[in-house]
Amino acid sequence: ANARADDWAAIQARQSLRALVVDDASSADFFNLAPNPGDRRGFDREILESFCSLQKLKLETVIVPSWAELVPALKAGRGDVIVGQVTDTPERRQQIAFSIEVFPSGVIAVTRKPTPAIQSLDQLKSLKVGTIEGTSMAEAARALSLTSLDDQIPTGGIPDALRAGRIQVGIWGLESAILERRKDPAIQLGIFVTPPQSLAWGVRKQDVTLKVELDQFLGNLRKSPTWNRLVVKYFGESALELLKRVRQE
């Protein structure tokens, strides 16, 4: 299980690619860990399965209990690639390497009616703000130097925290907020609190050939109709236009 995968030939000889995925039910639209997910296997999972099929590899899933343990698990050799709604951040790049972008992202301020949508950072100073522990969103929230910040929201817990009144504003990933708004029309998307970001797949820095193979595959995919089809399938018709906004802000 701890065999290094810096040599692409070693992965091919093993005939399997080990994907490290956080056990987070809210990320099921990126990587559904259910035994029988049916047609909704997840955005990342469908793409990674296509990569493995092309390379004649078996996809093995290694479940990690929390986001804070994800990068350490990769560095420890428990898997070959981290996937499933992973944000490419400067802090993580100090430890691992990332593929090219899989999905545009950004950290935004999310509210639920009757709390109004956040239009300026000044609005956050008088509200109860929360985010998920051990994530890039928590890093972004702490950088805002807020008066009231609860950065101990459990994985997948922002919608419940908003509904229960534990927080008034969630600092959350754009992709998660889009998905939640499809289920709960009371969810409102406010301003971005970080520059545009990317969701990508992480590999160990020494796994140079694996990164090259993933980048080539993803680069071709992003140019094809398949990527747009998957975006609409998991995020809805309006998602493509909204994602353009991320790149414009």
Side-chain angles (χ1 to χ4, degrees):
N2 290 319
R4 289 178 59 187
D6 54 334
D7 186 350
W8 176 240
I11 293 178
Q12 292 180 310
R14 194 198 316 140
Q15 297 184 327
S16 70
L17 184 71
R18 300 167 300 165
L20 287 155
V21 185
V22 175
D23 187 8
D24 181 353
S26 67
S27 293
D29 281 297
F30 277 90
F31 205 104
N32 194 337
L33 291 170
N36 299 297
D39 186 46
R40 294 192 68 82
R41 303 188 303 281
F43 186 83
D44 272 12
R45 181 170 174 175
E46 285 203 38
I47 295 173
L48 193 58
E49 284 178 350
S50 296
F51 172 78
C52 287
S53 177
L54 182 67
Q55 299 291 346
K56 296 180 173 56
L57 299 172
K58 176 184 176 182
L59 177 60
E60 297 182 19
T61 302
V62 181
I63 299 175
V64 180
S66 73
W67 291 100
E69 298 172 68
L70 186 60
V71 170
L74 176 68
K75 293 177 67 178
R78 291 177 54 195
D80 306 309
V81 57
I82 57 175
V83 300
Q85 201 175 353
V86 180
T87 305
D88 176 353
T89 68
E91 292 76 16
R92 286 172 175 162
R93 276 184 176 263
Q94 292 179 9
Q95 302 184 68
I96 63 174
F98 279 94
S99 69
I100 64 172
E101 182 178 86
V102 177
F103 192 88
S105 184
V107 179
I108 64 172
V110 180
T111 56
R112 189 174 188 275
K113 295 176 182 178
T115 303
I118 302 300
Q119 303 298 332
S120 72
L121 292 178
D122 284 342
Q123 287 177 264
L124 297 176
K125 295 178 181 179
S126 60
L127 298 173
K128 294 184 293 183
V129 182
T131 192
I132 300 171
E133 59 180 334
T135 65
S136 60
M137 286 89 74
E139 296 169 9
R142 286 191 288 270
L144 298 175
S145 300
L146 301 171
T147 303
S148 176
L149 175 62
D150 180 353
D151 61 0
Q152 298 299 306
I153 305 295
T155 298
I158 284 183
D160 287 341
L162 287 169
R163 282 189 282 268
R166 173 176 173 178
I167 60 174
Q168 295 167 289
V169 185
I171 302 300
W172 212 11
L174 171 67
E175 63 286 346
S176 297
I178 294 174
L179 289 167
E180 185 62 26
R181 190 174 64 171
R182 294 189 74 188
K183 296 181 282 186
D184 182 357
I187 292 291
Q188 300 181 104
L189 277 57
I191 62 169
F192 287 89
V193 299
T194 66
Q197 295 179 326
S198 296
L199 301 184
W201 297 343
V203 299
R204 290 183 295 278
K205 287 187 176 182
Q206 67 264 31
D207 296 351
V208 177
T209 307
L210 173 58
K211 175 174 159 42
V212 169
E213 293 290 341
L214 292 173
D215 284 348
Q216 181 176 335
F217 175 80
L218 290 169
N220 290 332
L221 178 76
R222 289 295 299 267
K223 298 174 186 176
S224 75
T226 300
W227 189 82
N228 284 357
R229 176 183 62 78
L230 288 173
V231 169
V232 171
K233 174 180 177 179
Y234 286 99
F235 301 94
E237 292 284 349
S238 63
L240 290 173
E241 191 61 36
L242 186 56
L243 294 179
K244 290 180 183 178
R245 173 188 160 195
V246 179
R247 287 296 171 249
Q248 292 169 353
E249 297 199 359

